[in-house]
Amino acid sequence: MSEAPDGYRIDVTSPAGEDTLVAAIDAHELLERLPSLEAAVLGSAAHSRSIGTGMELPAMEVGGTLFESVFQSGIKALYLSSRQKAQEHGQRLRMVLRVRSPELAALPWELLYDEKLGGYLCLHHPVIRHVEMLEPVAPLRVEPPLSILGMVSLPGALTPLEAETEQEGLSTALKPLIDEGRVRLDWVGGGTKQDLFNALFAGCHIFHFIGHGKFDDQRRQGMLVFSDEQGRESPLHAEALGSLISVADPSPASSCSTVARREPPTLAICSPARRPSWSTRFRPWSPCSSR
């Protein structure tokens, strides 16, 4: 969430897709209601639940206003679809909020509320604030075998790549370690986002992508280009990939096809023409290639 000319820009990435909107959130009006909200919360703690329900009304109203401001049409649909996907795999959805605007950061997003969805969202899944700050990079420690998940996705309209040669080269380079039981190499059985989503639930330490990358000038993010069911281009932004991997809950991953780092991203991708960087929720990984 960040400031925009006509309100606040909300960028959403999820396992179900991506969406962007400019929300007209009256942050100052909501901030003026915080003292009465705090008084109501403290007062409800001193009474029984039946009496406290009425005193809880300010919290429900603020949480409902925040929910209605952000979870409009497409974003609400993405939320419901992502929650369903997580439930189908026996997982709990994690909602991570990256709030860059100081006014919005002061609001009680933990109170997000919608009566039709069962009340406070935080009672159904974690609502986590992500504070963007520099952190020391801890070493990646795993118990062998190191699990590598490879994927080839080549939409028909894009320039052909020597994917089979790349696969053979990677398998040959890793064969001694595979024979020793120190590395396991698996390949996604398809080239779509859904194929990757299904494969990630088996877990992996490294994600190796063979395919094309692009850069979104408007969002200032790199993208991996997957295929859809008809073999057409289906780009996926970096943050969306991070959300997808996060919901699948594997170990920290790296993705590399043509990979290079610039500035301080945690993962990076570039197309032959540009060198954009992109961020996810994972620790930095050095530029890599199987060649």
Side-chain angles (χ1 to χ4, degrees), residues 240-252:
L241 178 61
S243 297
L244 181 129
I245 294 177
S246 176
V247 171
D249 198 26
S251 300

Side-chain angles (χ1 to χ4, degrees), residues 113-124:
Y113 179 91
D114 185 76
E115 183 177 0
K116 295 180 180 179
L117 294 179
Y120 298 104
L121 303 190
C122 64
L123 297 180
H124 300 276

Side-chain angles (χ1 to χ4, degrees), residues 42-144:
L42 293 174
S44 65
H47 294 80
S48 65
R49 178 61 183 171
S50 58
I51 299 177
T53 301
M55 302 185 71
E56 187 184 350
L57 185 59
M60 296 167 60
E61 290 177 343
V62 171
T65 299
L66 291 174
F67 182 88
E68 292 173 1
S69 299
V70 174
F71 289 80
Q72 303 176 29
S73 58
I75 290 181
K76 185 176 182 179
L78 289 179
Y79 167 70
L80 294 175
S81 179
S82 297
R83 194 163 79 167
Q84 181 179 353
K85 283 179 177 288
Q87 291 173 348
E88 289 174 353
H89 289 84
Q91 304 286 325
R92 294 183 67 193
L93 181 68
R94 289 188 297 166
M95 181 182 295
V96 179
L97 305 177
R98 293 178 170 86
V99 187
R100 298 182 175 91
S101 166
E103 295 86 2
L104 296 187
L107 297 177
W109 293 97
E110 292 77 11
L111 295 179
L112 282 169
Y113 179 91
D114 185 76
E115 183 177 0
K116 295 180 180 179
L117 294 179
Y120 298 104
L121 303 190
C122 64
L123 297 180
H124 300 276
H125 55 71
V127 177
I128 305 167
R129 288 185 185 239
H130 178 86
V131 180
E132 296 185 350
M133 57 186 296
L134 295 177
E135 297 179 355
V137 179
L140 177 62
R141 301 183 186 278
V142 298
E143 291 294 330

